[in-house]
Amino acid sequence: YASVQEMIVLCIHSLDPSGSDGRYSSDVHHSIGTALYSYTLASEEEKESNANLGVRPGKAPYATRLATRLCLVLSGARSLCEGKHMEIADFLASASSHETPLGAAVLLEQSSAHYYRAGLLRKYAFHMLMAGHMFRSAMQERHAFRCFAASLYVYHSERWGELRSHLRSALAHQLYGMGRYALSMQFYANLIRAIGDGRVSARSQQQFLTNIINICKDHPS
């Protein structure tokens, strides 16, 4: 049924490739939503046979991969996205919940791009943050760092002290793992400077200080 709905989208797109005829717009997005919902139901049926419910799979179910493929095609179809960036972003974010860490990271980053185009900067930053955590789980350190840095740029001017501290901690950890010890120490120092404003717990501050001391001992240059 999901595949039929996907084919309906392709047929309508063939009738109106430029997306200029507004009559088809609601039909297209209705079929897209129905297809993704049906793929999700099929994925959940496959997951029910898995003992580790709630744990991200090492290999995504076949139905999940079909949903991911559909979402990535939508993300790159300019005529389907025009004026519908928020809806496409929601589709991508929803599809990420059944994917492997790497698949989820790609979908979340794509969704953040559409939220950005829709003018929703906080949603953009939040989904980039989540993409960073998924890239970290997939051992893609440089991509994780890139996503965290993009999120920090948005939250820098907002009154989101806890989120900024969370991002700085994540960036310090990523930089340390990448061998960028000087930059890592700068982020840890900025976190310790937050003492007294309630944004970082005493336990976390102690861990940050310990990390700075270890960097100075192990990497004096």
Side-chain angles (χ1 to χ4, degrees):
Y1 181 65
S3 297
V4 168
Q5 292 297 322
E6 189 174 348
M7 289 304 297
I8 289 172
V9 174
L10 292 174
C11 290
I12 295 175
H13 182 64
S14 296
L15 288 169
D16 183 29
S18 65
S20 58
D21 192 337
R23 292 177 301 170
Y24 298 126
S25 179
S26 60
D27 292 335
V28 165
H29 288 274
H30 173 75
S31 292
I32 291 169
T34 304
L36 290 173
Y37 177 71
S38 299
Y39 280 137
T40 299
L41 289 179
S43 298
E44 288 175 349
E45 288 176 4
E46 291 187 56
K47 280 186 69 178
E48 286 177 1
S49 61
N50 185 355
N52 296 321
L53 293 175
V55 177
R56 287 195 176 271
K59 181 179 180 181
Y62 182 60
T64 295
R65 282 295 150 91
L66 291 174
T68 298
R69 184 203 61 184
L70 174 57
C71 284
L72 293 177
V73 168
L74 289 174
S75 182
R78 186 172 300 176
S79 62
L80 292 176
C81 294
E82 193 65 35
K84 296 286 186 179
H85 288 293
M86 190 172 71
E87 290 86 344
I88 298 297
D90 289 340
F91 286 146
L92 288 159
S94 177
S96 72
S97 60
H98 294 282
E99 260 288 358
T100 63
L102 183 57
V106 171
L107 289 170
L108 287 166
E109 187 176 2
Q110 289 294 313
S111 74
S112 71
H114 286 282
Y115 283 127
Y116 182 84
R117 294 186 186 108
L120 302 171
L121 293 183
R122 290 178 184 173
K123 277 185 172 288
Y124 157 77
F126 176 76
H127 286 80
M128 282 295 278
L129 170 62
M130 297 303 295
H133 282 301
M134 289 294 101
F135 275 126
R136 176 192 277 182
S137 297
M139 307 301 290
Q140 297 291 325
E141 304 293 340
R142 293 180 182 275
H143 287 303
F145 171 78
R146 179 174 52 77
C147 291
F148 289 142
S151 296
L152 186 62
Y153 179 79
V154 172
Y155 288 122
H156 181 72
S157 60
E158 296 280 354
R159 296 179 180 178
W160 293 80
E162 290 79 5
L163 265 173
R164 280 201 301 275
S165 295
H166 175 77
L167 281 165
R168 285 172 179 157
S169 175
L171 283 164
H173 178 81
Q174 291 301 124
L175 287 163
Y176 186 88
M178 293 163 60
R180 303 293 296 276
Y181 303 114
L183 280 173
S184 177
M185 188 162 65
Q186 287 181 38
F187 274 103
Y188 280 130
N190 282 329
L191 285 161
I192 289 177
R193 283 174 56 192
I195 192 166
D197 63 6
R199 293 176 184 170
V200 180
S201 68
R203 181 179 179 182
S204 295
Q205 298 239 3
Q206 182 60 52
Q207 184 60 54
F208 300 153
L209 187 58
T210 300
N211 290 346
I212 287 179
I213 292 170
N214 289 337
I215 291 173
C216 293
K217 283 181 178 179
D218 298 338
H219 309 281
S221 60

